[in-house]
Amino acid sequence: MGFVRSYHDLCGIARALDLVGERWALLVVRELLFGPKRFADLHRGLLGTSQNVLTQRLRELQDAGIVTRRRGLPPATGLVYELTGRGRDLEPVLLALGRWGSPLPPGPDSARALSPDALMVALRTTFQPSAIVGTGGTVQVRLPDDGFLLTVSGGRLVVVRAEEPADCLLAATVRVVQDLVFDHRPLDDAVRSGDARVEGDTGLLTRVLTAFDDHRRS
């Protein structure tokens, strides 16, 4: 194991934090929730961390059996990092933290836009099933360098990294999607300005965009 610091506490929480309590560790896990990534892609999604710190966190998470490294499968090239089964077990922990932290105001130096994966996690943690009762369908969210398929069915939201045919397509930047979801920017305004492109069932997309908490509840 590459870990030096420890709480030296028998409590399960303390033992878990011995492994994932270091700065950036859980955010690395967040960036891998939707599938494997190359080092450069991980670094791009973790604004504010250095390559040296990211390398150290990845090494520690590998030592802990949370992350593994392997050669990417076509069309990916080079080495990629992905969560092990033990790492995927952290998903409900991260979602609970996201729900707990969503109402908190951002710090003054926070980045204006989320990473693509952080945006999808934010959608999952703020989804309000009661706002979309009786609605079902799929929305393809196409970001400049990524794509996710959102499926709404039976009051549940499922998000996967994929580019597949869907009932509706929303093509925009992360910042624009944030504005549409959390700042209630009208979809028509984003389309007219050229900030977003929409194809397919616009009514479904409009209902889905209003099915999330705006982070400012008391």
Side-chain angles (χ1 to χ4, degrees), residues 28 30 59-60 64 67 75 105 113 128 145 158 161 166 207 215:
V28 170
R30 180 199 72 191
R59 185 182 303 118
E60 293 167 352
V67 168
Q128 303 293 302
D145 298 308
V158 177
R161 173 176 276 110
R207 292 192 297 274
H215 289 67

Side-chain angles (χ1 to χ4, degrees), residues 28-210:
V28 170
V29 176
R30 180 199 72 191
E31 289 296 305
L32 294 175
L33 283 179
F34 297 103
K37 284 188 173 184
R38 296 174 299 178
F39 182 92
D41 298 323
L42 274 172
H43 189 247
R44 190 179 304 114
L46 294 168
L47 296 176
T49 186
S50 68
Q51 292 190 4
N52 287 340
V53 169
L54 179 56
T55 297
Q56 183 177 348
R57 289 293 93 81
L58 286 168
R59 185 182 303 118
E60 293 167 352
L61 291 169
Q62 288 178 83
D63 289 344
I66 294 168
V67 168
T68 188
R69 186 175 68 164
R70 63 167 174 81
R71 188 158 298 280
L73 301 174
T77 58
L79 296 173
V80 296
Y81 296 87
E82 67 179 346
L83 296 177
T84 64
R86 185 79 167 152
R88 287 190 294 273
D89 287 343
L90 286 167
E91 182 172 357
V93 177
L94 285 176
L95 296 180
L97 278 173
R99 281 188 286 270
W100 186 84
S102 290
L104 302 176
D109 297 325
S110 297
R112 291 188 66 248
L114 298 164
S115 73
D117 292 78
L119 173 63
M120 294 301 123
V121 171
L123 295 184
R124 291 189 60 191
T125 57
T126 60
F127 178 65
Q128 303 293 302
S130 61
I132 203 164
V133 173
T135 297
T138 54
V139 175
Q140 174 73 56
V141 178
R142 186 169 298 162
L143 305 173
D145 298 308
D146 218 333
F148 296 86
L149 184 69
L150 280 56
T151 302
V152 175
S153 178
R156 295 179 64 247
L157 172 69
V158 177
V159 180
V160 296
R161 173 176 276 110
E163 294 202 19
E164 299 177 3
D167 298 316
C168 183
L169 166 73
L170 170 63
T173 65
V174 169
R175 180 69 240 186
V176 169
V177 177
Q178 282 180 228
D179 291 343
L180 292 170
V181 173
F182 300 120
D183 292 326
H184 310 299
R185 180 182 181 183
L187 181 61
D188 288 347
D189 175 71
V191 172
R192 280 196 303 269
S193 67
D195 290 338
R197 177 169 61 88
V198 175
E199 297 176 4
D201 190 343
T202 306
L204 169 65
L205 176 60
T206 300
R207 292 192 297 274
V208 169
L209 290 174
T210 60

